[in-house]
Amino acid sequence: MGKLSQRAWNNVIIVSMLILIMLFNFSGNFLNSGSDETSTTRNLVPSDKIITTMVFEQLKVERIGQGWRAISGERTIKYTNEMLANLIENWVNAEISLIEQHNSWHSPSAAVELWFAGQALPTEYQFKQHQDQTLVKINQQTYQLISPSYQSLTPQE
């Protein structure tokens, strides 16, 4: 085998590093692809999203620095920062499960808009009570709310 110059060895090392990076990238996708298929539940709010504003029918909850504030158009209800933080925590920890398209979804019983950091438009969550379950429609997909209850996701007076 012939001798390689310093420049040739550098090229060999660079190419081998690129091959290793591609190998690690593809093996990570391959090893993690099965875990998504077995999981039937997911979070109501994606884990990579940060809520900045929530708009309910008669209440708006906004992030102010490290805390939260509530703005109501008609009546004044005092919400503590702790109450609002618990509400946000309930949304972040809520679990939903994808279900088949529901035929009787004509008008939602409640709608909530969530604004996420870095997004120009809000995401609308439509809720509907159907028999003994709560249905959630997000981006034309229908889910069943598993936990917590719908009342935990609304501001309590």
Side-chain angles (χ1 to χ4, degrees), residues 86-104:
N86 286 337
L87 175 68
I88 301 299
E89 192 69 25
N90 287 342
W91 273 81
V92 170
N93 293 330
E95 292 183 338
I96 55 175
S97 176
L98 182 65
I99 61 172
E100 295 297 320
Q101 187 64 23
H102 203 269
N103 296 334
S104 66

Side-chain angles (χ1 to χ4, degrees), residues 53-122:
T53 305
M54 299 176 75
V55 180
F56 296 91
E57 286 183 30
Q58 299 187 9
L59 184 72
K60 183 176 183 179
V61 178
E62 296 178 326
R63 178 178 276 290
I64 302 296
Q66 299 263 334
W68 297 91
R69 76 171 171 195
I71 302 170
S72 177
E74 297 176 0
R75 42 192 175 135
T76 11
I77 304 169
K78 293 291 182 185
Y79 291 100
T80 64
N81 186 50
E82 183 180 336
M83 293 169 64
L84 297 174
N86 286 337
L87 175 68
I88 301 299
E89 192 69 25
N90 287 342
W91 273 81
V92 170
N93 293 330
E95 292 183 338
I96 55 175
S97 176
L98 182 65
I99 61 172
E100 295 297 320
Q101 187 64 23
H102 203 269
N103 296 334
S104 66
W105 192 283
H106 297 294
S107 62
S109 58
V112 179
E113 287 183 345
L114 265 63
W115 293 79
F116 298 112
Q119 286 188 337
L121 297 174

Side-chain angles (χ1 to χ4, degrees), residues 21-55:
I21 290 170
M22 288 175 43
L23 179 68
F24 290 144
N25 187 26
F26 289 130
S27 68
N29 291 342
F30 175 74
L31 294 174
N32 293 332
S33 66
S35 66
D36 292 338
E37 295 172 5
T38 59
S39 175
T40 60
T41 63
R42 68 180 204 119
N43 288 343
L44 182 62
V45 176
S47 59
D48 62 339
K49 305 283 184 186
I50 298 172
I51 300 173
T52 58
T53 305
M54 299 176 75
V55 180

